[in-house]
Amino acid sequence: MSAPTTIKPIKILLLIVLVNLVLLAVWLIFPDKGIPITKELSVKFPSPKEYFEPDVLKNEKPVTEKITKALKNNTFSEDSVQHFIPLSDEDIIVSANEKLMHPSDFENALEAFYGKLETIKDGQLLRVLHFGDSQIEGDRISGVLRDILQNKFGGCGVGYIPVNDPSSSRKNVSRTSLGKWTKHAVVRSSITPPHNNYSFLGSFYQWEKLATNSSVGINIKKNKGSNQKLQQFEQISLMYRNYSKPFECKITCDTAIIHQGLMQDSGIFQHQWNYKGFGKGELNFRFSGEGNPDIYGVSLDCKQGVAVDNISLRGSSGTDFTKMNKESMKQQVSKMNVALIIYQFGVNVVPNEVAGYGFYRDMMVHQINYLKQIAPTASILVIGVSDMCKKEGSEFVSYGNIEKIRDAQKEAAQLTGCAFWDLYEVMGGHNSMAEWVTASPSLAEKDYTHFNWRGANVVGEKLGNAILKDYYDFKKLEIY
């Protein structure tokens, strides 16, 4: 038997080079439009220009040009602490596509909210609950809106914050948790909860059984870059649910003991303590004892004005509210004087493209009606989905279903008597996310989905200005 033929490595290398040269030649001479195989199928190579110079499809609307020019002129700021605050209706510039929309020309869906703003001078604290997906995570958008409303109507502090959350990127406060906590979340939780009495923040926290003389805790301290209004709170609130044994709670700041003692059981409670600002140190909460309550969250607020709570439900499409116990939610909301609910979802709906979104409109109607039942005196503002882009060939283009989702959201708002703000159009419409990413300075992350801090601040200012402009326009009707 003859020996097997062997191929020398140099021949293999030459073969690889030859194949690549053939492919390169085909690539250079291949028609730009491809070669049709059937009516529906064609073979196409990306052109050398597309390969080496990937581009985005340009949007004709110069929204990003105006924003980046404003950034350079300090009309907007990268830092939410120093952004432009309009003080009167003459200072506010809101283009037609940035205005709030209402169910009809004869109905302002935020009338109840605007009416309550007039009562703040009587010593009331109004809450705004800003629900959203990961687009608002880390107090993005909410933080700037809070600044604008508090500068106009009074208030201070950062509102409610949970024991912990996926993002530690809040610019206003720094928070750490101590000990072993278990988080039960209404969205994407891998742990089966013991019940569905979630907090309005979408979660509750429990600690594991404690050994003798041990404790768990939460530390909250100011960030150096946060503004004075966020540092100068007047009251501390702790909200929890407890149907187990009483537990010990100790709250300290610097060298002062703010509270030390047993906390109640058999109900949902919001305990409040008067205390002004962080001082030089941080707030420390320590919990111990045999009881194992559901800790909902801690808030830092003024006694009068507006409080804005950032409630990010990462991964949610805005269809999870009805999973929460309605009576429990009613009890919580009744303790907080909620005046406005902002409902901002959609980016988690976009990637799964389908022909129609009537089903999503109907699901939203169900969720919004639930929110109206737990907060019957609150106004509701629905914020439409932001633009998102995907890569097609070498170009980043808007998903084809964005406008369908936006239209479904607008219909849901109209059907439920809510105000609507079209964030997609505010951004510039079709392919605008690509422009926000490539703007100089950039306004969005390179995932072509999320705003960066700079872009989120811009959106927060546009939202705040749109609300104030609508408020001033409504006041001109002299209804009050």
Side-chain angles (χ1 to χ4, degrees):
M1 176 182 280
S2 59
T5 303
T6 58
I7 302 176
K8 294 181 179 180
I10 187 64
K11 292 185 176 180
I12 297 175
L13 177 60
L14 289 172
L15 178 62
I16 293 173
V17 171
L18 179 62
V19 170
N20 280 279
L21 287 173
V22 171
L23 289 174
L24 177 62
V26 172
W27 184 40
L28 292 172
I29 65 173
F30 209 82
D32 290 341
K33 295 183 179 180
I35 298 175
I37 305 300
T38 65
K39 289 183 179 180
E40 290 84 20
L41 181 65
S42 64
V43 177
K44 184 179 183 296
F45 274 84
S47 69
K49 182 178 179 181
E50 289 176 328
Y51 185 81
F52 290 108
E53 301 177 14
D55 200 1
V56 297
L57 291 186
K58 297 297 180 183
N59 181 3
E60 294 178 359
K61 303 175 184 178
V63 171
T64 52
E65 290 180 20
K66 294 178 181 178
I67 293 172
T68 52
K69 183 178 179 180
L71 282 167
K72 292 173 184 176
N73 293 333
N74 289 324
T75 304
F76 291 113
S77 170
E78 295 181 26
D79 188 348
S80 65
V81 173
Q82 302 173 350
H83 61 79
F84 173 67
I85 303 290
L87 298 178
S88 68
D89 53 346
E90 290 82 10
D91 296 327
I92 302 176
I93 300 175
V94 177
S95 60
N97 65 316
E98 295 175 352
K99 290 184 177 181
L100 301 186
M101 289 176 265
H102 297 283
S104 74
D105 293 337
F106 307 101
E107 177 184 2
N108 190 304
L110 302 188
E111 177 179 356
F113 174 53
Y114 296 155
K116 290 177 181 178
L117 288 174
E118 297 296 303
T119 69
I120 286 178
K121 56 182 176 287
D122 299 325
Q124 290 204 38
L125 177 66
L126 303 181
R127 300 206 81 86
V128 175
L129 307 184
H130 186 182
F131 294 104
D133 46 38
S134 57
Q135 194 66 280
I136 70 167
E137 197 169 82
D139 207 37
R140 292 180 304 154
I141 303 176
S142 309
V144 177
L145 176 63
R146 181 187 301 113
D147 288 349
I148 290 174
L149 294 180
Q150 289 183 348
N151 272 276
K152 174 60 184 174
F153 301 104
C156 59
V158 299
Y160 262 101
I161 54 178
V163 175
N164 208 341
D165 60 28
S167 173
S168 59
S169 59
R170 279 179 176 257
K171 284 192 172 183
N172 45 33
V173 293
S174 173
R175 177 206 49 231
T176 56
S177 56
L178 304 175
K180 293 184 178 181
W181 291 89
T182 300
K183 178 183 180 180
H184 297 284
V186 71
V187 181
R188 294 188 176 183
S189 177
S190 59
I191 303 172
T192 302
H195 54 73
N196 69 339
N197 294 291
Y198 297 99
S199 77
F200 70 97
L201 299 173
S203 60
F204 62 90
Y205 291 79
Q206 296 178 325
W207 56 75
E208 297 184 11
K209 188 174 182 179
L210 297 173
T212 305
N213 298 324
S214 64
S215 65
V216 295
I218 312 166
N219 295 341
I220 303 173
K221 63 181 180 180
K222 62 186 178 185
N223 280 344
K224 293 181 180 179
S226 62
N227 69 20
Q228 291 298 312
K229 282 187 174 294
L230 300 180
Q231 299 174 17
Q232 296 174 348
F233 57 87
E234 297 175 344
Q235 64 183 13
I236 303 166
S237 300
L238 170 68
M239 187 177 287
Y240 68 92
R241 175 184 179 273
N242 188 21
Y243 282 92
S244 63
K245 297 179 181 180
F247 64 97
E248 183 83 15
C249 175
K250 182 178 181 180
I251 307 173
T252 60
C253 188
D254 295 333
T255 58
I257 297 177
I258 301 169
H259 170 82
Q260 185 171 11
L262 286 175
M263 306 299 285
Q264 293 171 270
D265 56 2
S266 302
I268 294 175
F269 303 95
Q270 179 181 244
H271 284 287
Q272 295 179 324
W273 299 271
N274 295 331
Y275 194 83
K276 291 191 175 182
F278 280 99
K280 296 180 181 179
E282 62 184 23
L283 281 171
N284 302 303
F285 296 78
R286 297 293 180 268
F287 305 105
S288 59
E290 295 184 45
N292 191 4
D294 306 328
I295 302 296
Y296 285 170
V298 173
S299 74
L300 309 175
D301 301 305
C302 270
K303 297 179 181 179
Q304 177 177 319
V306 177
V308 178
D309 302 319
N310 171 269
I311 309 169
S312 171
L313 305 176
R314 178 190 284 191
S316 176
S317 299
T319 57
D320 300 288
F321 294 98
T322 50
K323 298 175 184 176
M324 307 184 204
N325 184 284
K326 186 186 295 184
E327 292 306 313
S328 177
M329 289 285 282
K330 281 182 178 179
Q331 289 183 53
Q332 296 172 56
V333 170
S334 68
K335 300 176 186 296
M336 298 190 296
N337 198 19
V338 175
L340 175 65
I341 294 174
I342 301 176
Y343 178 101
Q344 181 178 351
F345 296 91
V347 297
N348 294 298
V349 181
V350 174
N352 301 313
E353 298 183 67
V354 295
Y357 287 86
F359 75 95
Y360 185 51
R361 175 202 61 212
D362 296 341
M363 292 172 73
M364 281 186 60
V365 167
H366 185 47
Q367 300 298 314
I368 293 171
N369 283 334
Y370 170 89
L371 293 174
K372 297 180 83 167
Q373 290 169 17
I374 65 169
T377 63
S379 300
I380 299 180
L381 168 61
V382 176
I383 297 180
V385 64
S386 51
D387 189 37
M388 287 175 58
C389 289
K390 60 182 178 179
K391 195 168 187 179
E392 290 187 354
S394 65
E395 297 172 327
F396 284 94
V397 299
S398 293
Y399 280 83
N401 59 351
I402 294 282
E403 293 185 11
K404 294 179 182 179
I405 294 171
R406 186 273 316 273
D407 292 345
Q409 293 174 321
K410 188 188 295 185
E411 290 174 15
Q414 188 168 28
L415 289 169
T416 52
C418 299
F420 184 76
W421 194 57
D422 194 341
L423 180 52
Y424 172 72
E425 288 297 332
V426 169
M427 291 179 64
H430 189 64
N431 294 330
S432 56
M433 179 55 82
E435 289 192 347
W436 282 55
V437 172
T438 58
S440 180
S442 66
L443 301 169
E445 303 290 353
K446 291 186 178 180
D447 62 0
Y448 289 81
T449 299
H450 296 95
F451 303 116
N452 58 22
W453 273 104
R454 191 182 297 111
N457 288 347
V458 169
V459 173
E461 289 197 14
K462 288 183 176 293
L463 173 60
N465 288 348
I467 291 174
L468 285 186
K469 180 64 174 174
D470 194 66
Y471 167 75
Y472 286 127
D473 289 347
F474 187 66
K475 281 196 67 176
K476 288 178 182 176
L477 299 176
E478 297 183 351
I479 290 178
Y480 299 112

